[in-house]
Amino acid sequence: EKKFLDFNFNIENSNKKTFVVNAYNENININNFVTLTIFGKNPLKISSINIPSPISYYEDFSFKFILSAPVKIKDLEIRVNDLIPTQIAELDESKEVDIPLKGTYFLNKNLKLSISYKDINNKEYILEKEIPIELENIPLYAKIIAFFYNIFK
């Protein structure tokens, strides 16, 4: 017979706890150790962000960073501003991500990184980060368009 049980316990400040589980009936008595690892609210971490600075208005460049998670996560969707998202099916340790971008995307805008994903229990998370972008060699017509865009925004 298979049963699912819910129970509450105090995990204090530790991120790893070992518990003794005892299951028994009139015919059998089984003891086993169960180790639970507790992770913070957002297990995904972004590190080693590599973005050139300054970026020329017409320059194509790579936005590189490393994603790491101590647990398996899935269905990652990486968005930069409103551009087409990059998909990663699963991540269980770390992975370098390289997203090709153009300087023209960031006229009067910062780089807004948004990563949505699910843990193994299908709980959804969103990690967001904003990175300032410094553009140079902006042509006059682009400055004029940006000026009017900001007025009527």
Side-chain angles (χ1 to χ4, degrees):
E1 176 180 357
K2 190 175 191 179
K3 288 188 177 183
F4 293 95
L5 304 172
D6 290 330
F7 53 94
N8 296 320
F9 53 90
N10 185 4
I11 59 170
E12 298 165 4
N13 292 329
S14 177
N15 63 350
K16 195 169 197 175
K17 290 283 189 182
T18 302
F19 299 93
V20 177
V21 177
N22 181 266
Y24 61 91
N25 63 21
E26 62 270 353
N27 298 326
I28 194 167
N29 187 357
I30 297 174
N31 291 312
N32 204 348
F33 292 96
V34 175
T35 301
L36 299 177
T37 303
I38 312 300
F39 297 98
K41 291 182 178 182
N42 202 335
L44 184 66
K45 302 290 178 226
I46 302 171
S47 61
S48 301
I49 295 173
N50 185 356
I51 192 162
S53 183
I55 299 167
S56 180
Y57 181 76
Y58 291 111
E59 182 180 351
D60 293 345
F61 66 96
S62 287
F63 172 42
K64 294 181 183 180
F65 55 94
I66 295 175
L67 292 177
S68 57
V71 294
K72 184 181 276 190
I73 57 177
K74 59 185 181 177
D75 300 334
L76 285 92
E77 182 178 270
I78 304 167
R79 284 191 173 275
V80 174
N81 295 16
D82 295 324
L83 303 174
I84 296 172
T86 301
Q87 309 281 336
I88 299 175
E90 278 188 359
L91 176 73
D92 58 359
E93 287 183 9
S94 66
K95 178 178 180 64
E96 183 179 51
V97 178
D98 185 355
I99 300 175
L101 297 171
K102 296 179 181 289
T104 56
Y105 297 156
F106 302 102
L107 181 62
N108 290 349
K109 296 180 194 172
N110 286 333
L111 186 149
K112 294 178 184 166
L113 178 65
S114 176
I115 304 172
S116 61
Y117 62 96
K118 296 178 184 174
D119 65 13
I120 59 173
N121 297 318
N122 282 329
K123 182 177 178 186
E124 292 187 36
Y125 297 85
I126 295 177
L127 179 61
E128 295 178 324
K129 187 170 188 71
E130 188 165 339
I131 302 165
I133 298 290
E134 182 183 343
L135 278 182
E136 64 181 11
N137 301 325
I138 302 169
L140 181 60
Y141 75 88
K143 291 179 183 179
I144 293 169
I145 291 170
F147 173 78
F148 285 109
Y149 176 78
N150 287 333
I151 289 175
F152 297 110
K153 186 161 70 161

PDB file of all heavy atoms in Angstrom, residues 45-82:
ATOM      1  N   LYS A  45      21.483  31.264  -9.542  1.00  0.00           N
ATOM      2  CA  LYS A  45      22.427  32.370  -9.350  1.00  0.00           C
ATOM      3  C   LYS A  45      23.039  32.769 -10.693  1.00  0.00           C
ATOM      4  O   LYS A  45      23.320  31.922 -11.535  1.00  0.00           O
ATOM      5  CB  LYS A  45      23.562  31.979  -8.398  1.00  0.00           C
ATOM      6  CG  LYS A  45      23.085  31.534  -7.029  1.00  0.00           C
ATOM      7  CD  LYS A  45      22.522  32.682  -6.247  1.00  0.00           C
ATOM      8  CE  LYS A  45      22.012  32.218  -4.901  1.00  0.00           C
ATOM      9  NZ  LYS A  45      20.729  32.709  -4.540  1.00  0.00           N
ATOM     10  N   ILE A  46      23.251  34.067 -10.860  1.00  0.00           N
ATOM     11  CA  ILE A  46      23.910  34.609 -12.050  1.00  0.00           C
ATOM     12  C   ILE A  46      25.282  35.108 -11.621  1.00  0.00           C
ATOM     13  O   ILE A  46      25.405  35.841 -10.649  1.00  0.00           O
ATOM     14  CB  ILE A  46      23.117  35.788 -12.638  1.00  0.00           C
ATOM     15  CG1 ILE A  46      21.700  35.371 -13.000  1.00  0.00           C
ATOM     16  CG2 ILE A  46      23.829  36.354 -13.862  1.00  0.00           C
ATOM     17  CD1 ILE A  46      20.808  36.536 -13.381  1.00  0.00           C
ATOM     18  N   SER A  47      26.311  34.711 -12.368  1.00  0.00           N
ATOM     19  CA  SER A  47      27.659  35.171 -12.030  1.00  0.00           C
ATOM     20  C   SER A  47      28.448  35.429 -13.318  1.00  0.00           C
ATOM     21  O   SER A  47      27.997  35.113 -14.414  1.00  0.00           O
ATOM     22  CB  SER A  47      28.374  34.145 -11.154  1.00  0.00           C
ATOM     23  OG  SER A  47      28.497  32.911 -11.836  1.00  0.00           O
ATOM     24  N   SER A  48      29.620  35.981 -13.153  1.00  0.00           N
ATOM     25  CA  SER A  48      30.557  36.243 -14.251  1.00  0.00           C
ATOM     26  C   SER A  48      29.892  36.952 -15.427  1.00  0.00           C
ATOM     27  O   SER A  48      30.033  36.550 -16.577  1.00  0.00           O
ATOM     28  CB  SER A  48      31.209  34.941 -14.725  1.00  0.00           C
ATOM     29  OG  SER A  48      31.898  34.329 -13.680  1.00  0.00           O
ATOM     30  N   ILE A  49      29.165  38.014 -15.121  1.00  0.00           N
ATOM     31  CA  ILE A  49      28.525  38.790 -16.181  1.00  0.00           C
ATOM     32  C   ILE A  49      29.609  39.501 -16.980  1.00  0.00           C
ATOM     33  O   ILE A  49      30.423  40.221 -16.423  1.00  0.00           O
ATOM     34  CB  ILE A  49      27.513  39.793 -15.598  1.00  0.00           C
ATOM     35  CG1 ILE A  49      26.366  39.034 -14.934  1.00  0.00           C
ATOM     36  CG2 ILE A  49      26.999  40.733 -16.676  1.00  0.00           C
ATOM     37  CD1 ILE A  49      25.391  39.914 -14.191  1.00  0.00           C
ATOM     38  N   ASN A  50      29.602  39.263 -18.279  1.00  0.00           N
ATOM     39  CA  ASN A  50      30.612  39.839 -19.153  1.00  0.00           C
ATOM     40  C   ASN A  50      29.907  40.589 -20.273  1.00  0.00           C
ATOM     41  O   ASN A  50      29.293  39.980 -21.140  1.00  0.00           O
ATOM     42  CB  ASN A  50      31.507  38.730 -19.715  1.00  0.00           C
ATOM     43  CG  ASN A  50      32.649  39.276 -20.528  1.00  0.00           C
ATOM     44  OD1 ASN A  50      32.758  40.475 -20.744  1.00  0.00           O
ATOM     45  ND2 ASN A  50      33.507  38.382 -20.992  1.00  0.00           N
ATOM     46  N   ILE A  51      30.006  41.899 -20.213  1.00  0.00           N
ATOM     47  CA  ILE A  51      29.395  42.736 -21.238  1.00  0.00           C
ATOM     48  C   ILE A  51      30.364  43.883 -21.523  1.00  0.00           C
ATOM     49  O   ILE A  51      30.892  44.495 -20.595  1.00  0.00           O
ATOM     50  CB  ILE A  51      28.008  43.232 -20.783  1.00  0.00           C
ATOM     51  CG1 ILE A  51      27.244  43.842 -21.927  1.00  0.00           C
ATOM     52  CG2 ILE A  51      28.086  44.155 -19.631  1.00  0.00           C
ATOM     53  CD1 ILE A  51      25.757  43.944 -21.665  1.00  0.00           C
ATOM     54  N   PRO A  52      30.668  44.136 -22.784  1.00  0.00           N
ATOM     55  CA  PRO A  52      31.624  45.207 -23.078  1.00  0.00           C
ATOM     56  C   PRO A  52      31.069  46.575 -22.693  1.00  0.00           C
ATOM     57  O   PRO A  52      29.862  46.782 -22.662  1.00  0.00           O
ATOM     58  CB  PRO A  52      31.824  45.105 -24.587  1.00  0.00           C
ATOM     59  CG  PRO A  52      30.684  44.311 -25.105  1.00  0.00           C
ATOM     60  CD  PRO A  52      30.157  43.487 -23.977  1.00  0.00           C
ATOM     61  N   SER A  53      31.975  47.476 -22.382  1.00  0.00           N
ATOM     62  CA  SER A  53      31.552  48.839 -22.054  1.00  0.00           C
ATOM     63  C   SER A  53      32.673  49.793 -22.439  1.00  0.00           C
ATOM     64  O   SER A  53      33.823  49.560 -22.073  1.00  0.00           O
ATOM     65  CB  SER A  53      31.264  48.953 -20.571  1.00  0.00           C
ATOM     66  OG  SER A  53      30.796  50.235 -20.254  1.00  0.00           O
ATOM     67  N   PRO A  54      32.395  50.835 -23.139  1.00  0.00           N
ATOM     68  CA  PRO A  54      31.121  51.186 -23.766  1.00  0.00           C
ATOM     69  C   PRO A  54      30.888  50.353 -25.017  1.00  0.00           C
ATOM     70  O   PRO A  54      31.792  49.713 -25.544  1.00  0.00           O
ATOM     71  CB  PRO A  54      31.280  52.655 -24.100  1.00  0.00           C
ATOM     72  CG  PRO A  54      32.749  52.835 -24.305  1.00  0.00           C
ATOM     73  CD  PRO A  54      33.421  51.860 -23.373  1.00  0.00           C
ATOM     74  N   ILE A  55      29.652  50.407 -25.515  1.00  0.00           N
ATOM     75  CA  ILE A  55      29.258  49.686 -26.724  1.00  0.00           C
ATOM     76  C   ILE A  55      28.939  50.722 -27.799  1.00  0.00           C
ATOM     77  O   ILE A  55      28.231  51.686 -27.534  1.00  0.00           O
ATOM     78  CB  ILE A  55      28.020  48.806 -26.451  1.00  0.00           C
ATOM     79  CG1 ILE A  55      28.350  47.770 -25.383  1.00  0.00           C
ATOM     80  CG2 ILE A  55      27.520  48.147 -27.727  1.00  0.00           C
ATOM     81  CD1 ILE A  55      27.144  47.079 -24.816  1.00  0.00           C
ATOM     82  N   SER A  56      29.457  50.497 -28.988  1.00  0.00           N
ATOM     83  CA  SER A  56      29.146  51.375 -30.101  1.00  0.00           C
ATOM     84  C   SER A  56      27.713  51.108 -30.560  1.00  0.00           C
ATOM     85  O   SER A  56      27.244  49.969 -30.509  1.00  0.00           O
ATOM     86  CB  SER A  56      30.122  51.120 -31.251  1.00  0.00           C
ATOM     87  OG  SER A  56      29.813  51.968 -32.337  1.00  0.00           O
ATOM     88  N   TYR A  57      27.031  52.152 -30.994  1.00  0.00           N
ATOM     89  CA  TYR A  57      25.626  52.058 -31.400  1.00  0.00           C
ATOM     90  C   TYR A  57      25.406  50.954 -32.434  1.00  0.00           C
ATOM     91  O   TYR A  57      24.439  50.203 -32.357  1.00  0.00           O
ATOM     92  CB  TYR A  57      25.161  53.403 -31.941  1.00  0.00           C
ATOM     93  CG  TYR A  57      23.714  53.429 -32.368  1.00  0.00           C
ATOM     94  CD1 TYR A  57      22.698  53.492 -31.417  1.00  0.00           C
ATOM     95  CD2 TYR A  57      23.366  53.388 -33.711  1.00  0.00           C
ATOM     96  CE1 TYR A  57      21.363  53.517 -31.810  1.00  0.00           C
ATOM     97  CE2 TYR A  57      22.039  53.422 -34.106  1.00  0.00           C
ATOM     98  CZ  TYR A  57      21.040  53.478 -33.151  1.00  0.00           C
ATOM     99  OH  TYR A  57      19.718  53.498 -33.530  1.00  0.00           O
ATOM    100  N   TYR A  58      26.297  50.811 -33.391  1.00  0.00           N
ATOM    101  CA  TYR A  58      26.124  49.811 -34.454  1.00  0.00           C
ATOM    102  C   TYR A  58      26.818  48.481 -34.153  1.00  0.00           C
ATOM    103  O   TYR A  58      26.840  47.594 -34.992  1.00  0.00           O
ATOM    104  CB  TYR A  58      26.660  50.360 -35.787  1.00  0.00           C
ATOM    105  CG  TYR A  58      25.820  51.479 -36.344  1.00  0.00           C
ATOM    106  CD1 TYR A  58      26.321  52.774 -36.379  1.00  0.00           C
ATOM    107  CD2 TYR A  58      24.545  51.244 -36.823  1.00  0.00           C
ATOM    108  CE1 TYR A  58      25.559  53.807 -36.894  1.00  0.00           C
ATOM    109  CE2 TYR A  58      23.769  52.276 -37.333  1.00  0.00           C
ATOM    110  CZ  TYR A  58      24.278  53.548 -37.367  1.00  0.00           C
ATOM    111  OH  TYR A  58      23.532  54.558 -37.871  1.00  0.00           O
ATOM    112  N   GLU A  59      27.382  48.346 -32.982  1.00  0.00           N
ATOM    113  CA  GLU A  59      28.173  47.167 -32.653  1.00  0.00           C
ATOM    114  C   GLU A  59      27.308  45.948 -32.322  1.00  0.00           C
ATOM    115  O   GLU A  59      26.325  46.038 -31.598  1.00  0.00           O
ATOM    116  CB  GLU A  59      29.071  47.492 -31.441  1.00  0.00           C
ATOM    117  CG  GLU A  59      29.984  46.376 -31.004  1.00  0.00           C
ATOM    118  CD  GLU A  59      30.831  46.783 -29.801  1.00  0.00           C
ATOM    119  OE1 GLU A  59      30.830  47.969 -29.424  1.00  0.00           O
ATOM    120  OE2 GLU A  59      31.477  45.898 -29.237  1.00  0.00           O
ATOM    121  N   ASP A  60      27.704  44.796 -32.870  1.00  0.00           N
ATOM    122  CA  ASP A  60      27.153  43.514 -32.440  1.00  0.00           C
ATOM    123  C   ASP A  60      28.053  43.021 -31.318  1.00  0.00           C
ATOM    124  O   ASP A  60      29.282  43.071 -31.431  1.00  0.00           O
ATOM    125  CB  ASP A  60      27.180  42.490 -33.573  1.00  0.00           C
ATOM    126  CG  ASP A  60      26.241  42.858 -34.716  1.00  0.00           C
ATOM    127  OD1 ASP A  60      25.377  43.730 -34.522  1.00  0.00           O
ATOM    128  OD2 ASP A  60      26.386  42.271 -35.803  1.00  0.00           O
ATOM    129  N   PHE A  61      27.464  42.552 -30.234  1.00  0.00           N
ATOM    130  CA  PHE A  61      28.279  42.089 -29.107  1.00  0.00           C
ATOM    131  C   PHE A  61      27.624  40.883 -28.446  1.00  0.00           C
ATOM    132  O   PHE A  61      26.469  40.560 -28.708  1.00  0.00           O
ATOM    133  CB  PHE A  61      28.504  43.218 -28.091  1.00  0.00           C
ATOM    134  CG  PHE A  61      27.250  43.679 -27.396  1.00  0.00           C
ATOM    135  CD1 PHE A  61      26.906  43.180 -26.139  1.00  0.00           C
ATOM    136  CD2 PHE A  61      26.420  44.629 -27.978  1.00  0.00           C
ATOM    137  CE1 PHE A  61      25.765  43.610 -25.498  1.00  0.00           C
ATOM    138  CE2 PHE A  61      25.277  45.067 -27.329  1.00  0.00           C
ATOM    139  CZ  PHE A  61      24.947  44.550 -26.090  1.00  0.00           C
ATOM    140  N   SER A  62      28.400  40.207 -27.600  1.00  0.00           N
ATOM    141  CA  SER A  62      27.893  39.042 -26.873  1.00  0.00           C
ATOM    142  C   SER A  62      27.702  39.401 -25.413  1.00  0.00           C
ATOM    143  O   SER A  62      28.585  39.989 -24.785  1.00  0.00           O
ATOM    144  CB  SER A  62      28.892  37.881 -26.954  1.00  0.00           C
ATOM    145  OG  SER A  62      28.873  37.323 -28.233  1.00  0.00           O
ATOM    146  N   PHE A  63      26.553  39.050 -24.899  1.00  0.00           N
ATOM    147  CA  PHE A  63      26.248  39.186 -23.472  1.00  0.00           C
ATOM    148  C   PHE A  63      26.428  37.804 -22.874  1.00  0.00           C
ATOM    149  O   PHE A  63      25.662  36.888 -23.151  1.00  0.00           O
ATOM    150  CB  PHE A  63      24.822  39.706 -23.303  1.00  0.00           C
ATOM    151  CG  PHE A  63      24.323  39.720 -21.884  1.00  0.00           C
ATOM    152  CD1 PHE A  63      25.130  40.132 -20.844  1.00  0.00           C
ATOM    153  CD2 PHE A  63      23.029  39.335 -21.594  1.00  0.00           C
ATOM    154  CE1 PHE A  63      24.666  40.159 -19.539  1.00  0.00           C
ATOM    155  CE2 PHE A  63      22.545  39.356 -20.303  1.00  0.00           C
ATOM    156  CZ  PHE A  63      23.369  39.768 -19.271  1.00  0.00           C
ATOM    157  N   LYS A  64      27.504  37.643 -22.083  1.00  0.00           N
ATOM    158  CA  LYS A  64      27.842  36.337 -21.522  1.00  0.00           C
ATOM    159  C   LYS A  64      27.708  36.368 -20.006  1.00  0.00           C
ATOM    160  O   LYS A  64      28.064  37.355 -19.362  1.00  0.00           O
ATOM    161  CB  LYS A  64      29.273  35.954 -21.886  1.00  0.00           C
ATOM    162  CG  LYS A  64      29.491  35.733 -23.350  1.00  0.00           C
ATOM    163  CD  LYS A  64      30.924  35.339 -23.627  1.00  0.00           C
ATOM    164  CE  LYS A  64      31.163  35.190 -25.111  1.00  0.00           C
ATOM    165  NZ  LYS A  64      32.534  34.813 -25.416  1.00  0.00           N
ATOM    166  N   PHE A  65      27.205  35.274 -19.475  1.00  0.00           N
ATOM    167  CA  PHE A  65      27.114  35.103 -18.029  1.00  0.00           C
ATOM    168  C   PHE A  65      27.000  33.627 -17.720  1.00  0.00           C
ATOM    169  O   PHE A  65      26.782  32.794 -18.613  1.00  0.00           O
ATOM    170  CB  PHE A  65      25.931  35.886 -17.444  1.00  0.00           C
ATOM    171  CG  PHE A  65      24.597  35.564 -18.066  1.00  0.00           C
ATOM    172  CD1 PHE A  65      23.760  34.622 -17.503  1.00  0.00           C
ATOM    173  CD2 PHE A  65      24.190  36.218 -19.222  1.00  0.00           C
ATOM    174  CE1 PHE A  65      22.532  34.329 -18.080  1.00  0.00           C
ATOM    175  CE2 PHE A  65      22.971  35.941 -19.796  1.00  0.00           C
ATOM    176  CZ  PHE A  65      22.131  34.988 -19.226  1.00  0.00           C
ATOM    177  N   ILE A  66      27.160  33.289 -16.448  1.00  0.00           N
ATOM    178  CA  ILE A  66      27.068  31.897 -16.005  1.00  0.00           C
ATOM    179  C   ILE A  66      25.854  31.753 -15.095  1.00  0.00           C
ATOM    180  O   ILE A  66      25.677  32.535 -14.165  1.00  0.00           O
ATOM    181  CB  ILE A  66      28.356  31.456 -15.274  1.00  0.00           C
ATOM    182  CG1 ILE A  66      29.534  31.471 -16.257  1.00  0.00           C
ATOM    183  CG2 ILE A  66      28.179  30.067 -14.664  1.00  0.00           C
ATOM    184  CD1 ILE A  66      30.866  31.169 -15.635  1.00  0.00           C
ATOM    185  N   LEU A  67      25.042  30.755 -15.397  1.00  0.00           N
ATOM    186  CA  LEU A  67      23.918  30.389 -14.541  1.00  0.00           C
ATOM    187  C   LEU A  67      24.308  29.153 -13.756  1.00  0.00           C
ATOM    188  O   LEU A  67      24.876  28.209 -14.313  1.00  0.00           O
ATOM    189  CB  LEU A  67      22.679  30.067 -15.383  1.00  0.00           C
ATOM    190  CG  LEU A  67      22.023  31.206 -16.128  1.00  0.00           C
ATOM    191  CD1 LEU A  67      20.860  30.689 -16.968  1.00  0.00           C
ATOM    192  CD2 LEU A  67      21.526  32.253 -15.147  1.00  0.00           C
ATOM    193  N   SER A  68      24.016  29.149 -12.472  1.00  0.00           N
ATOM    194  CA  SER A  68      24.301  27.966 -11.661  1.00  0.00           C
ATOM    195  C   SER A  68      23.186  27.758 -10.651  1.00  0.00           C
ATOM    196  O   SER A  68      22.568  28.710 -10.181  1.00  0.00           O
ATOM    197  CB  SER A  68      25.651  28.104 -10.952  1.00  0.00           C
ATOM    198  OG  SER A  68      25.681  29.255 -10.163  1.00  0.00           O
ATOM    199  N   ALA A  69      22.944  26.487 -10.364  1.00  0.00           N
ATOM    200  CA  ALA A  69      21.913  26.122  -9.392  1.00  0.00           C
ATOM    201  C   ALA A  69      22.346  24.841  -8.691  1.00  0.00           C
ATOM    202  O   ALA A  69      22.842  23.915  -9.333  1.00  0.00           O
ATOM    203  CB  ALA A  69      20.574  25.909 -10.086  1.00  0.00           C
ATOM    204  N   PRO A  70      22.162  24.768  -7.377  1.00  0.00           N
ATOM    205  CA  PRO A  70      22.549  23.565  -6.639  1.00  0.00           C
ATOM    206  C   PRO A  70      21.557  22.415  -6.821  1.00  0.00           C
ATOM    207  O   PRO A  70      21.819  21.300  -6.387  1.00  0.00           O
ATOM    208  CB  PRO A  70      22.574  24.042  -5.182  1.00  0.00           C
ATOM    209  CG  PRO A  70      21.605  25.182  -5.154  1.00  0.00           C
ATOM    210  CD  PRO A  70      21.684  25.825  -6.497  1.00  0.00           C
ATOM    211  N   VAL A  71      20.417  22.690  -7.452  1.00  0.00           N
ATOM    212  CA  VAL A  71      19.402  21.671  -7.713  1.00  0.00           C
ATOM    213  C   VAL A  71      19.033  21.712  -9.188  1.00  0.00           C
ATOM    214  O   VAL A  71      19.310  22.693  -9.873  1.00  0.00           O
ATOM    215  CB  VAL A  71      18.125  21.900  -6.867  1.00  0.00           C
ATOM    216  CG1 VAL A  71      18.406  21.720  -5.395  1.00  0.00           C
ATOM    217  CG2 VAL A  71      17.530  23.255  -7.127  1.00  0.00           C
ATOM    218  N   LYS A  72      18.388  20.662  -9.660  1.00  0.00           N
ATOM    219  CA  LYS A  72      17.960  20.633 -11.053  1.00  0.00           C
ATOM    220  C   LYS A  72      16.777  21.578 -11.235  1.00  0.00           C
ATOM    221  O   LYS A  72      15.814  21.537 -10.479  1.00  0.00           O
ATOM    222  CB  LYS A  72      17.548  19.220 -11.458  1.00  0.00           C
ATOM    223  CG  LYS A  72      17.188  19.112 -12.936  1.00  0.00           C
ATOM    224  CD  LYS A  72      16.755  17.715 -13.302  1.00  0.00           C
ATOM    225  CE  LYS A  72      17.979  16.895 -13.572  1.00  0.00           C
ATOM    226  NZ  LYS A  72      17.657  15.588 -14.175  1.00  0.00           N
ATOM    227  N   ILE A  73      16.901  22.432 -12.246  1.00  0.00           N
ATOM    228  CA  ILE A  73      15.793  23.311 -12.615  1.00  0.00           C
ATOM    229  C   ILE A  73      15.505  23.095 -14.096  1.00  0.00           C
ATOM    230  O   ILE A  73      16.344  22.570 -14.829  1.00  0.00           O
ATOM    231  CB  ILE A  73      16.083  24.788 -12.297  1.00  0.00           C
ATOM    232  CG1 ILE A  73      17.353  25.266 -12.976  1.00  0.00           C
ATOM    233  CG2 ILE A  73      16.169  25.005 -10.802  1.00  0.00           C
ATOM    234  CD1 ILE A  73      17.652  26.726 -12.755  1.00  0.00           C
ATOM    235  N   LYS A  74      14.301  23.484 -14.511  1.00  0.00           N
ATOM    236  CA  LYS A  74      13.902  23.188 -15.891  1.00  0.00           C
ATOM    237  C   LYS A  74      13.105  24.339 -16.477  1.00  0.00           C
ATOM    238  O   LYS A  74      12.715  25.263 -15.764  1.00  0.00           O
ATOM    239  CB  LYS A  74      13.091  21.897 -15.930  1.00  0.00           C
ATOM    240  CG  LYS A  74      11.841  21.950 -15.080  1.00  0.00           C
ATOM    241  CD  LYS A  74      11.123  20.608 -15.048  1.00  0.00           C
ATOM    242  CE  LYS A  74       9.865  20.727 -14.199  1.00  0.00           C
ATOM    243  NZ  LYS A  74       9.102  19.514 -14.181  1.00  0.00           N
ATOM    244  N   ASP A  75      12.863  24.228 -17.772  1.00  0.00           N
ATOM    245  CA  ASP A  75      12.048  25.193 -18.514  1.00  0.00           C
ATOM    246  C   ASP A  75      12.526  26.631 -18.317  1.00  0.00           C
ATOM    247  O   ASP A  75      11.731  27.521 -18.057  1.00  0.00           O
ATOM    248  CB  ASP A  75      10.571  25.077 -18.128  1.00  0.00           C
ATOM    249  CG  ASP A  75       9.997  23.704 -18.401  1.00  0.00           C
ATOM    250  OD1 ASP A  75      10.530  23.019 -19.299  1.00  0.00           O
ATOM    251  OD2 ASP A  75       9.026  23.320 -17.735  1.00  0.00           O
ATOM    252  N   LEU A  76      13.823  26.840 -18.453  1.00  0.00           N
ATOM    253  CA  LEU A  76      14.372  28.190 -18.316  1.00  0.00           C
ATOM    254  C   LEU A  76      14.038  29.007 -19.550  1.00  0.00           C
ATOM    255  O   LEU A  76      14.178  28.534 -20.680  1.00  0.00           O
ATOM    256  CB  LEU A  76      15.886  28.148 -18.150  1.00  0.00           C
ATOM    257  CG  LEU A  76      16.405  27.707 -16.801  1.00  0.00           C
ATOM    258  CD1 LEU A  76      16.656  26.226 -16.778  1.00  0.00           C
ATOM    259  CD2 LEU A  76      17.652  28.456 -16.461  1.00  0.00           C
ATOM    260  N   GLU A  77      13.591  30.222 -19.323  1.00  0.00           N
ATOM    261  CA  GLU A  77      13.358  31.175 -20.402  1.00  0.00           C
ATOM    262  C   GLU A  77      14.103  32.451 -20.036  1.00  0.00           C
ATOM    263  O   GLU A  77      13.800  33.076 -19.023  1.00  0.00           O
ATOM    264  CB  GLU A  77      11.867  31.449 -20.579  1.00  0.00           C
ATOM    265  CG  GLU A  77      11.592  32.396 -21.726  1.00  0.00           C
ATOM    266  CD  GLU A  77      10.119  32.632 -21.943  1.00  0.00           C
ATOM    267  OE1 GLU A  77       9.517  31.872 -22.717  1.00  0.00           O
ATOM    268  OE2 GLU A  77       9.592  33.573 -21.322  1.00  0.00           O
ATOM    269  N   ILE A  78      15.086  32.796 -20.845  1.00  0.00           N
ATOM    270  CA  ILE A  78      15.938  33.952 -20.593  1.00  0.00           C
ATOM    271  C   ILE A  78      15.527  35.064 -21.540  1.00  0.00           C
ATOM    272  O   ILE A  78      15.609  34.894 -22.757  1.00  0.00           O
ATOM    273  CB  ILE A  78      17.419  33.594 -20.788  1.00  0.00           C
ATOM    274  CG1 ILE A  78      17.796  32.409 -19.899  1.00  0.00           C
ATOM    275  CG2 ILE A  78      18.305  34.800 -20.530  1.00  0.00           C
ATOM    276  CD1 ILE A  78      19.121  31.781 -20.241  1.00  0.00           C
ATOM    277  N   ARG A  79      15.082  36.181 -20.980  1.00  0.00           N
ATOM    278  CA  ARG A  79      14.648  37.327 -21.784  1.00  0.00           C
ATOM    279  C   ARG A  79      15.579  38.505 -21.538  1.00  0.00           C
ATOM    280  O   ARG A  79      15.904  38.812 -20.398  1.00  0.00           O
ATOM    281  CB  ARG A  79      13.241  37.764 -21.400  1.00  0.00           C
ATOM    282  CG  ARG A  79      12.166  36.884 -21.919  1.00  0.00           C
ATOM    283  CD  ARG A  79      10.806  37.552 -21.727  1.00  0.00           C
ATOM    284  NE  ARG A  79       9.789  36.785 -22.373  1.00  0.00           N
ATOM    285  CZ  ARG A  79       9.471  36.878 -23.659  1.00  0.00           C
ATOM    286  NH1 ARG A  79      10.089  37.732 -24.424  1.00  0.00           N
ATOM    287  NH2 ARG A  79       8.531  36.128 -24.179  1.00  0.00           N
ATOM    288  N   VAL A  80      15.958  39.156 -22.623  1.00  0.00           N
ATOM    289  CA  VAL A  80      16.684  40.413 -22.546  1.00  0.00           C
ATOM    290  C   VAL A  80      15.759  41.460 -23.154  1.00  0.00           C
ATOM    291  O   VAL A  80      15.417  41.374 -24.336  1.00  0.00           O
ATOM    292  CB  VAL A  80      18.018  40.354 -23.306  1.00  0.00           C
ATOM    293  CG1 VAL A  80      18.677  41.721 -23.339  1.00  0.00           C
ATOM    294  CG2 VAL A  80      18.941  39.326 -22.673  1.00  0.00           C
ATOM    295  N   ASN A  81      15.323  42.410 -22.304  1.00  0.00           N
ATOM    296  CA  ASN A  81      14.348  43.420 -22.701  1.00  0.00           C
ATOM    297  C   ASN A  81      13.153  42.721 -23.353  1.00  0.00           C
ATOM    298  O   ASN A  81      12.649  41.766 -22.806  1.00  0.00           O
ATOM    299  CB  ASN A  81      14.989  44.491 -23.566  1.00  0.00           C
ATOM    300  CG  ASN A  81      16.022  45.293 -22.787  1.00  0.00           C
ATOM    301  OD1 ASN A  81      16.475  44.889 -21.725  1.00  0.00           O
ATOM    302  ND2 ASN A  81      16.400  46.432 -23.290  1.00  0.00           N
ATOM    303  N   ASP A  82      12.718  43.172 -24.511  1.00  0.00           N
ATOM    304  CA  ASP A  82      11.568  42.546 -25.171  1.00  0.00           C
ATOM    305  C   ASP A  82      11.987  41.732 -26.383  1.00  0.00           C
ATOM    306  O   ASP A  82      11.195  41.534 -27.312  1.00  0.00           O
ATOM    307  CB  ASP A  82      10.559  43.630 -25.590  1.00  0.00           C
ATOM    308  CG  ASP A  82       9.960  44.319 -24.382  1.00  0.00           C
ATOM    309  OD1 ASP A  82       9.742  43.642 -23.364  1.00  0.00           O
ATOM    310  OD2 ASP A  82       9.713  45.543 -24.456  1.00  0.00           O
TER     311      ASP A  82
END
